[in-house]
Amino acid sequence: MTLFEQLRKYSAPAALAEKMPGNACRCLACAHKCVIAAGGAGVCKVRFNEGGTLKAPWGYISGSAPDPVEKKPFFHVLPGAVTLSFGMLGCNFKCAFCQNHRTSQVLRDPACLAGSLEPVTPEELASAARTAEAGLIVSTYNEPLITAEWSAAVFREARKYGIRAAYVSNGYASAEVLDYIRPHVDLYKADLKTFDDEKYRKTAGGKLGKVLKALEMIHAKGFWLEIVTLLIPGFNDGTAELEALAGFIAGLSGDIPWHVTAFYPAYKMTDRDATSPATLVKAREIGLRKGLKYVYTGNIPGRGFEDTCCPACGRALVRRRGFKVLENAVRSSGRGTGACPGCSADIAGVWS
Ligand code: SF4
């Protein structure tokens, strides 16, 4: 059975869809909002129109693993918690630098080899999360928006065990999908890959304006949001672009953590070096200057740039080394946030 035949088998009628004239459907699961004729598929290739009914992925995973929450990365959510992470196949973007291309790009690029699909029920995945003593269950490895109905079903089961749910996403969301997942998803990691519309269009196949709109909505609808920018030499590491990008996030809220992470040559982008520590430090300084309270740089151990510090008194509250939490001094504020035990300042996030 080919991969496409398997995906036809592992599918169910989509909730995030509307009927269009002539047996066509409009998919509402991401900001592309594809109009799909009968027999066709959307940009992501995993949602397809079968005789006038939009079908969406259901009943399988491409893999799952217990991961630390810091690896997602969430730095303001239950430090040290175990997550059960799972993924399916496909993506609504086509980034040349994708770090998960084996699962996300396999449907448009046969050179990416996904393993076999594993049939599973939402109950079984939720039960696996409980067995792993996971505090969180995370849809990741491929783009979760394009499989929103499936993740909602899994998260509904996981919530019965008191397990919180998260998306690790490129953030190319529609208003409809955010409203659909909001009852089930607490935490949202989104990318902001560049602040240049042409680069977004050419590299990812999306529009900057729609990404920014989605980030505004994610924040406004009350998801806990952390934003990641993979810093790629010669692509998005110019000072003016980073200032504009950080300024946008700070305009949403200075409490939103911004992770600037290092690029390594991968997939189709092998024509440049890895990101230098100096570039990561530059981005961090720009973020702080623009008003962000929490800016994290991966891959520079020992300098304290992975620690969560109190924005008021500067005390290191969560000390990390890579994905390992060495100390967590954040206390409950009694106001739904964390608090610094030294000066009582609020520390935004989900701490208990
Ligand atoms: S999830 Fe996005 S890319 Fe896929 S069919 Fe729906 S609107 Fe199109």
Side-chain angles (χ1 to χ4, degrees), residues 218-292:
I218 292 165
H219 178 63
K221 290 175 188 290
F223 295 87
W224 173 254
L225 172 63
E226 303 199 16
I227 293 177
V228 173
T229 300
L230 180 72
L231 285 181
I232 302 174
F235 175 70
N236 60 0
D237 61 346
T239 299
E241 181 170 348
L242 290 173
E243 285 176 343
L245 193 154
F248 169 80
I249 301 173
L252 287 182
S253 169
D255 280 333
I256 296 173
W258 185 36
H259 301 260
V260 287
T261 58
F263 161 87
Y264 292 95
Y267 190 36
K268 293 180 180 172
M269 193 175 270
T270 55
D271 61 344
R272 60 200 78 200
D273 293 334
T275 313
S276 70
T279 300
L280 293 168
V281 172
K282 177 183 89 167
R284 179 175 186 275
E285 288 169 352
I286 287 172
L288 295 172
R289 209 165 56 235
K290 285 290 174 181
L292 292 171

Side-chain angles (χ1 to χ4, degrees), residues 27-34 36 42-45 47 92 145-146:
C27 176
L28 305 173
C30 88
H32 283 307
K33 293 204 172 172
C34 302
I36 307 171
V43 169
C44 61
K45 300 187 184 297
R47 297 171 74 93
N92 50 356
L145 292 166
I146 65 176

Side-chain angles (χ1 to χ4, degrees), residues 66-152:
D67 278 334
V69 68
E70 286 75 19
K71 193 174 176 183
K72 302 297 91 188
F74 286 108
F75 274 21
H76 286 232
V77 177
L78 306 176
V82 173
T83 74
L84 184 79
S85 297
F86 66 89
M88 300 180 95
L89 293 180
C91 190
N92 50 356
F93 278 0
K94 55 178 178 69
C95 306
F97 46 83
C98 182
Q99 319 260 317
N100 279 325
H101 60 277
R102 288 184 194 284
T103 49
S104 72
Q105 298 304 316
V106 66
L107 296 161
R108 58 173 67 90
D109 184 352
C112 303
L113 288 176
S116 57
L117 306 185
E118 182 185 334
V120 68
T121 66
E123 293 81 4
E124 286 168 344
L125 259 184
S127 176
R130 185 170 71 155
T131 302
E133 299 183 358
L136 297 153
I137 187 162
V138 186
S139 186
T140 178
Y141 306 143
N142 76 314
E143 176 50 49
L145 292 166
I146 65 176
T147 59
E149 294 90 344
W150 167 250
S151 61

Side-chain angles (χ1 to χ4, degrees), residues 17-28:
E18 60 186 19
K19 298 274 187 195
M20 301 285 285
N23 258 1
C25 304
R26 187 195 305 277
C27 176
L28 305 173

